[in-house]
Amino acid sequence: MTTLAAPTLSARLSLTPETTLVGQLDGAWWPESRDLEAELPPLIDALEGRFGRITRVTVNPARWPVVPHKVAATGHIVHVGWFTEQDPDKMILLSYTVSRCDLLVIPPQTEPAAAARLMTAAALPGSILTAGVLMSDETATGRRMRDARSSENTWETDGGSTPPPRRHPVVAARMIPMPGNPRR
């Protein structure tokens, strides 16, 4: 009887280049799901060549429905801990060689374009931006992009007309009186 090995997941991972510049993050990880038991082994395999044998992982339980105490990785067990004080969008991995890897964790449901922007930003050497700041900035960027698309769609669907002029245009912090409107 032939048994097939379970398909291995590949880690969607972006790491900072090896440099002397130290930043807040060592890169970003975009898991396929919120299942740590399934998602951690391929991530650990991908990181061990650079950071050594990963022995411990910490997460904030706010983003993970189940946080297992131990996860089987290739050839060893990884201990998983959680801290509510840790940034919910960050994962810390500790290696046997006392090396540490701090990763931005991109939510699985993130659109590919947003995930690409986050992975690039998190992998910038020497960046002072934290995981929380990157996620907050991306939320704002996504909102601006949706608003721009919405404005463009409105333009296209209303015949391309411009919005009506403002009754009192504002320049700097002063009101400009309109002709025919005496100032009070």
Side-chain angles (χ1 to χ4, degrees):
M1 178 166 140
T2 305
T3 59
L4 298 174
T8 58
L9 301 172
S10 64
R12 298 185 292 182
L13 182 65
S14 173
L15 296 174
T16 57
E18 293 193 44
T19 177
T20 57
L21 293 173
V22 177
Q24 291 288 321
L25 297 168
D26 297 302
W29 175 49
W30 186 23
E32 299 276 347
S33 72
R34 290 287 184 192
D35 181 357
L36 273 175
E37 200 150 7
E39 297 288 340
L40 276 178
L43 173 65
I44 290 165
D45 287 346
L47 291 173
E48 285 189 345
R50 179 166 171 185
F51 292 97
R53 183 180 211 164
I54 305 295
T55 57
R56 297 193 181 280
V57 174
T58 65
V59 297
N60 184 316
R63 300 284 197 262
W64 303 96
V66 176
V67 179
H69 294 288
K70 296 177 183 179
V71 172
T74 306
H76 67 286
I77 299 294
V78 176
H79 297 272
V80 182
W82 56 268
F83 297 97
T84 56
E85 299 83 16
Q86 182 173 318
D87 185 328
D89 298 307
K90 179 174 155 181
M91 174 179 283
I92 300 171
L93 299 104
L94 302 169
S95 79
Y96 182 71
T97 58
V98 193
S99 191
R100 175 177 165 158
C101 177
D102 291 30
L103 295 178
L104 166 70
V105 179
I106 301 168
Q109 71 278 9
T110 303
E111 294 178 9
R117 286 190 298 273
L118 286 164
M119 290 181 96
T120 300
L124 291 174
S127 175
I128 60 169
L129 300 177
T130 63
V133 168
L134 287 172
M135 292 303 292
S136 159
D137 288 353
E138 181 54 41
T139 299
T141 298
R143 189 176 306 118
R144 284 191 304 272
M145 291 177 73
R146 283 188 301 279
D147 291 349
R149 281 192 301 266
S150 175
S151 294
E152 186 176 311
N153 288 341
T154 300
W155 175 267
E156 294 297 327
T157 59
D158 73 0
S161 65
T162 58
R166 293 186 180 180
R167 188 175 158 137
H168 297 286
V170 177
V171 176
R174 299 178 176 209
M175 299 294 286
I176 299 174
M178 298 297 289
N181 262 350
R183 206 168 178 181
R184 299 182 192 191

